[in-house]
Amino acid sequence: MRADAPIRDNARAGRLGPLLAVFRLPNDDPRKTLAVALALCLACSVVVSATAVALRPLQERNAALALKEEIVNVAGLSTGGRSLDEAFGQIETQLVDLDSGEFVEGADPLTYSYREAAQDPSASTALGDSDPADIDRRPDRMPVYLVRRNGELETLILPVYGAGLWSTMHGLVALAPDGRTAKAFTIYEQRETAGLGSEVASEQWLSAWSGKVLIEDGEPVIEVVKGGVDPSSPNAEHRVDGLSGATLTSNGVANLMRFWLGERGYGPFLDRIRSDRG
């Protein structure tokens, strides 16, 4: 045994003395009860934190796979016995500079996270009062997904998001080659009121968006209206029924559409798409 071992042991005992004294108290002493509770809380927090860190890579992989599946579905592509990666491989992924509307060269859109960019002041823009989607900061770049047939654009898919009543809603809108007509729409992430606002993700409500004209003369014109849309009204092609009992969630969808399809969102990019088609 080293000569300094008793000294170290005495020092350790001195540091632990107050703690050991607490645990030697009678079981009915409130100080001991509090100490045990605190020790359990600390142990549980360590276990929970370690589990969360260990599971994070798996959660991220699952989220990426789920997003790929949503993109394939909204693009109208079928796996047809192929793997999800093979089906997704039919889709061209690009990163767009929202201010210029141009594709970003030399960047990997598959590893880019617009959610992380929105939290980075160097990669996003503060919106101030020009924020109908209530997202505070807009990423300077966004991924877009293109489906081509024989070299011609067939479907353009744009990620969109914005505030609902209780949550940030994330979705994908699929546009026809004209860059103005909806082919499909999906909300794949939301935490709105069950049975009311949560219907924003229902197939029945989302299917009503197909064929709606979202943009006229370069400006978003789509409305989510309270009550039913009169099919005979002159603006019926620009309107979607609101969700019964969920006015604020319905307004949130209308607001995020107006933002992302407007000049602060994909507007410059969509102008370029329409210009390229002549």
Side-chain angles (χ1 to χ4, degrees):
M1 179 181 296
R2 292 178 53 180
D4 61 348
I7 298 175
R8 292 202 313 272
D9 291 343
N10 289 337
R12 187 179 300 113
R15 291 193 299 270
L16 296 177
L19 180 61
L20 294 174
V22 170
F23 282 94
R24 292 192 188 103
L25 293 170
N27 290 337
D28 59 354
D29 191 301
R31 291 172 294 174
K32 184 173 184 178
T33 302
L34 179 60
V36 171
L38 289 174
L40 286 174
C41 289
L42 178 61
C44 290
S45 66
V46 169
V47 171
V48 170
S49 298
T51 302
V53 170
L55 291 178
R56 186 174 298 141
L58 178 60
Q59 293 170 337
E60 291 175 350
R61 286 195 296 273
N62 288 341
L65 287 173
L67 178 57
K68 279 186 178 181
E69 186 172 9
E70 292 287 349
I71 294 168
V72 168
N73 289 338
V74 81
L77 300 175
S78 171
T79 55
R82 298 167 298 179
S83 70
L84 178 60
D85 283 338
E86 288 175 326
F88 187 76
Q90 300 178 80
I91 301 172
E92 175 188 339
T93 306
Q94 294 279 4
L95 203 59
V96 170
D97 182 290
L98 294 181
D99 290 326
S100 68
E102 300 291 333
F103 291 136
V104 178
E105 301 296 335
D108 184 0
L110 295 177
T111 60
Y112 174 81
S113 169
Y114 69 78
R115 301 189 194 210
E116 292 180 4
Q119 305 301 316
D120 182 353
S122 68
S124 61
T125 300
L127 295 171
D129 294 334
S130 304
D131 187 17
D134 196 18
I135 58 175
D136 295 330
R137 301 190 69 89
R138 183 216 66 184
D140 293 332
R141 300 173 174 181
M142 286 291 284
V144 297
Y145 307 93
L146 303 94
V147 180
R148 301 185 189 273
R149 187 182 296 274
N150 299 323
E152 296 295 324
L153 181 64
E154 184 176 75
T155 306
L156 174 62
I157 302 165
L158 310 175
V160 295
Y161 68 97
L165 175 59
W166 303 114
S167 66
T168 298
M169 301 178 289
H170 292 261
L172 299 161
V173 57
L175 299 178
D178 63 5
R180 55 193 287 270
T181 305
K183 296 182 71 172
F185 179 42
T186 185
I187 295 289
Y188 63 86
E189 183 179 319
Q190 54 82 29
R191 294 184 301 279
E192 297 299 281
T193 306
L196 296 172
S198 65
E199 291 301 300
V200 73
S202 70
E203 184 176 349
Q204 179 179 358
W205 189 72
L206 293 171
S207 65
W209 288 79
S210 179
K212 295 296 181 179
V213 179
L214 309 181
I215 301 171
E216 286 285 10
D217 298 323
E219 296 294 330
V221 293
I222 190 67
E223 297 179 68
V224 180
V225 298
K226 189 174 182 178
V229 175
D230 181 357
S232 64
S233 66
N235 294 322
E237 64 179 357
H238 305 313
R239 294 179 172 178
V240 177
D241 292 352
L243 293 165
S244 178
T247 300
L248 294 179
T249 300
S250 299
N251 291 344
V253 175
N255 290 336
L256 72 84
M257 280 290 190
R258 280 198 293 270
F259 174 78
W260 286 107
L261 299 178
E263 62 178 356
R264 300 297 300 274
Y266 295 105
F269 172 65
L270 294 174
D271 287 343
R272 186 174 70 79
I273 290 293
R274 288 189 289 268
S275 176
D276 289 347
R277 293 186 75 243

